[in-house]
Amino acid sequence: MQNRKKDFPILNKQSLVYLDTAASSLTPNAVIDKLNEYYNEYPVNVHRGVYKLSYRATEAYQDARQTIADFISASFEEVIFTRGASSALNLVALSYGEKVLKSGDEVIVSELEHHSHVLPWQQLAKRKGAKLIYVPLSKAGRITVDAFKQVLTDRTKIVALTYVSNVMGYETPIKEITRLAHQKNAIVSVDAAQAAPHRAIDVNDLDCDFLAFSAHKMFGPTGVGVLYGKKRLLDIMDPLEFGGDMNDNVDKFDGDWKDTPYKFETGTPPIAEAIGFAEAVRYIKKIGFKAIIAHENTLRQKAVDALSNIKGVTIYNPTAETGIINFNLDDVHPHDVVSFFDEDHIALRAGHHCAQLLIKWLNVPATLRASFYVYNDEADIDTFIDSVKRARTFFSDIGF
Ligand code: 7TS
């Protein structure tokens, strides 16, 4: 892959090896320019004003929705803009789940989930007297079809699983899981926050019922994400928020709502952010997933091979199929290691990565996570490995 560093202004301003893409990706010039274009040329509200600038903003906002719908092979009215993946996943639980879940029903989740795909279902299950059922993870920490079959029952109403784990980088066999879930008339909510930046997604092919992702993990701005839902499900769901723009008629004691997606988008939407998100999607399409996947695999394999040769380093996911390495320096707290990396201008995350269930499953207090994207190159991996070696020596020398 051609070196992409020049596309990212932050990488041209300072010495930085950025290995925290799984938290947020860096933003390319194309997206920053698009945001500037909105604020410089048509910085007004959508849907409301009957004047030229407002038409332009409305058109750009609508185009953004269509671009993102095309990106996942959905239709326009099936794409709802949200604050991010977290609010999208909450919307599924609080609106769809609230409507259908009854006492005794079962919701299948996993210990690989980000908190935003467990806590909403936990809360709802408690309120409704429903049961959370965990897919037993394989020895490596994966969700497998066989394990899923063990927990799928006639009582399963909802299956809420991550497509790609933000800590282990594993890909869930979500298409087969969806097929099996549908045989039991369960619906499937897919957390694609870590998948959408790294895998081509076709919601028709997956046949999932809901799917959520965030712009900021795929070159886009913060503050915007998407909930995809099958139209027939969105049609029966109630809005969670009420106010401007989502309503049709308002009377003194009642009102009614627009059709999806608008009934879920109360008030002024994230206009600039949605327009920037669409530009991020165009940036991804220009590079292509084939090149993205190949590049990430090359970097991950190089780093895994080198880390495996350093004594006192444990890798928890050596077989991951996406660009994430979850690891620790034995007996050293990851927060101490990450400060060492920071001194070397290497940015990566230490902690539970908003996936405490997995950290508990691994039986460690926390981990280090290095994650890669198109702006990383082999020199970054060399710098990273050199820093790990020096950190290992440093902490061993002082008794760890
Ligand atoms: N699901 C997964 C798999 C994620 O990785 C994240 C964010 C979310 C949901 C929530 O997305 P948000 O945009 O609403 O925050 N993950 C991370 C992370 O691993 N470190 O920082 C954010």
Side-chain angles (χ1 to χ4, degrees):
M1 172 179 292
Q2 82 187 71
N3 195 318
R4 295 264 160 201
K5 285 190 190 294
K6 63 171 181 9
D7 293 351
F8 295 83
I10 186 75
L11 295 177
N12 299 312
K13 280 198 186 113
Q14 62 185 84
S15 168
L16 173 64
V17 173
Y18 189 73
L19 302 180
D20 198 20
T21 290
S24 274
S25 66
L26 300 179
T27 319
N29 276 315
V31 172
I32 297 168
D33 291 348
K34 202 72 190 170
L35 294 170
N36 279 330
E37 183 185 283
Y38 167 77
Y39 286 113
N40 281 320
E41 295 183 21
Y42 54 103
V44 299
N45 216 319
V46 292
H47 302 309
R48 298 184 175 118
V50 193
Y51 52 91
K52 286 192 196 69
L53 278 185
S54 180
Y55 276 128
R56 184 165 172 204
T58 304
E59 206 171 300
Y61 184 64
Q62 303 290 60
D63 282 354
R65 195 189 308 275
Q66 189 62 55
T67 300
I68 287 155
D70 293 344
F71 181 62
I72 56 168
S73 302
S75 59
F76 183 90
E77 66 272 22
E78 293 173 321
V79 168
I80 299 158
F81 283 122
T82 64
R83 241 179 349 99
S86 299
S87 18
L89 296 168
N90 271 274
L91 178 55
V92 178
L94 296 176
S95 178
Y96 183 79
E98 181 68 39
K99 192 149 211 154
V100 303
L101 209 63
K102 304 218 161 34
S103 174
D105 286 345
E106 293 177 354
V107 179
I108 296 180
V109 291
S110 86
E111 287 153 289
L112 278 182
E113 300 315 300
H114 186 275
H115 296 159
S116 60
H117 212 198
V118 170
L119 294 175
W121 293 112
Q122 257 180 23
Q123 294 303 308
L124 187 67
K126 272 205 264 184
R127 275 207 309 281
K128 298 275 186 172
K131 235 168 127 184
L132 280 193
I133 307 286
Y134 283 83
V135 187
L137 299 181
S138 74
K139 253 196 186 135
R142 288 176 181 274
I143 300 166
T144 63
V145 171
D146 280 346
F148 178 73
K149 282 182 187 162
Q150 286 171 32
V151 291
L152 181 67
T153 73
D154 292 334
R155 292 180 300 280
T156 307
K157 259 283 171 39
I158 312 255
V159 174
L161 293 176
T162 189
Y163 195 171
V164 171
S165 157
N166 65 320
V167 186
M168 300 296 256
Y170 295 151
E171 197 172 326
T172 307
I174 214 76
K175 185 174 169 180
E176 179 61 5
I177 282 175
T178 301
R179 196 183 66 77
L180 294 167
H182 285 169
Q183 286 175 358
K184 299 281 187 193
N185 295 319
I187 70 103
V188 180
S189 165
V190 178
D191 175 359
Q194 186 60 34
H198 308 279
R199 290 287 181 273
I201 291 177
D202 178 333
V203 288
N204 292 317
D205 181 51
L206 291 179
D207 198 28
C208 57
D209 301 284
F210 297 102
L211 183 133
F213 52 105
S214 288
H216 69 92
K217 291 178 61 132
M218 45 195 293
F219 305 121
T222 55
V224 67
V226 153
L227 175 66
Y228 156 80
K230 281 184 178 160
K231 170 125 185 346
R232 67 182 167 77
L233 300 179
L234 296 176
D235 282 343
I236 61 159
M237 284 162 58
D238 296 319
L240 280 190
E241 292 184 327
F242 301 87
D245 246 19
M246 54 77 70
N247 57 283
D248 270 338
N249 180 48
V250 178
D251 284 326
K252 262 189 177 164
F253 299 104
D254 209 351
D256 52 25
W257 330 128
K258 289 179 178 157
D259 288 335
T260 179
Y262 305 110
K263 70 176 175 182
F264 298 109
E265 294 180 2
T266 310
T268 299
I271 305 167
E273 291 81 356
I275 293 167
F277 191 1
E279 192 60 32
V281 160
R282 283 190 282 274
Y283 183 79
I284 287 181
K285 281 180 160 172
K286 223 160 70 186
I287 302 171
F289 277 112
K290 213 172 143 199
I292 292 175
I293 291 168
H295 184 66
E296 288 175 9
N297 279 343
T298 306
L299 298 183
R300 192 191 58 82
Q301 198 56 52
K302 182 180 162 93
V304 167
D305 290 348
L307 285 176
S308 308
N309 285 326
I310 304 172
K311 244 179 98 184
V313 172
T314 300
I315 305 176
Y316 302 107
N317 63 339
T319 61
E321 49 279 82
T322 63
I324 291 181
I325 301 178
N326 183 33
F327 69 107
N328 264 327
L329 266 58
D330 301 348
D331 305 320
V332 190
H333 198 282
H335 284 117
D336 294 331
V337 185
V338 98
S339 309
F340 192 98
F341 290 151
D342 195 30
E343 290 296 310
D344 284 349
H345 310 291
I346 299 169
L348 58 79
R349 185 170 174 187
H352 54 58
H353 319 290
C354 302
Q356 283 186 32
L357 297 180
L358 179 70
I359 298 301
K360 287 178 182 165
W361 184 87
L362 288 169
N363 202 18
V364 290
T367 66
L368 293 157
R369 180 184 65 182
S371 49
F372 313 114
Y373 217 0
V374 301
Y375 34 70
N376 296 118
D377 59 15
E378 301 214 11
D380 288 349
I381 305 298
D382 293 336
T383 308
F384 167 56
I385 295 298
D386 178 61
S387 191
V388 174
K389 283 180 181 159
R390 283 188 295 101
R392 186 59 278 180
T393 307
F394 172 80
F395 287 108
S396 297
D397 284 352
I398 60 170
F400 286 94

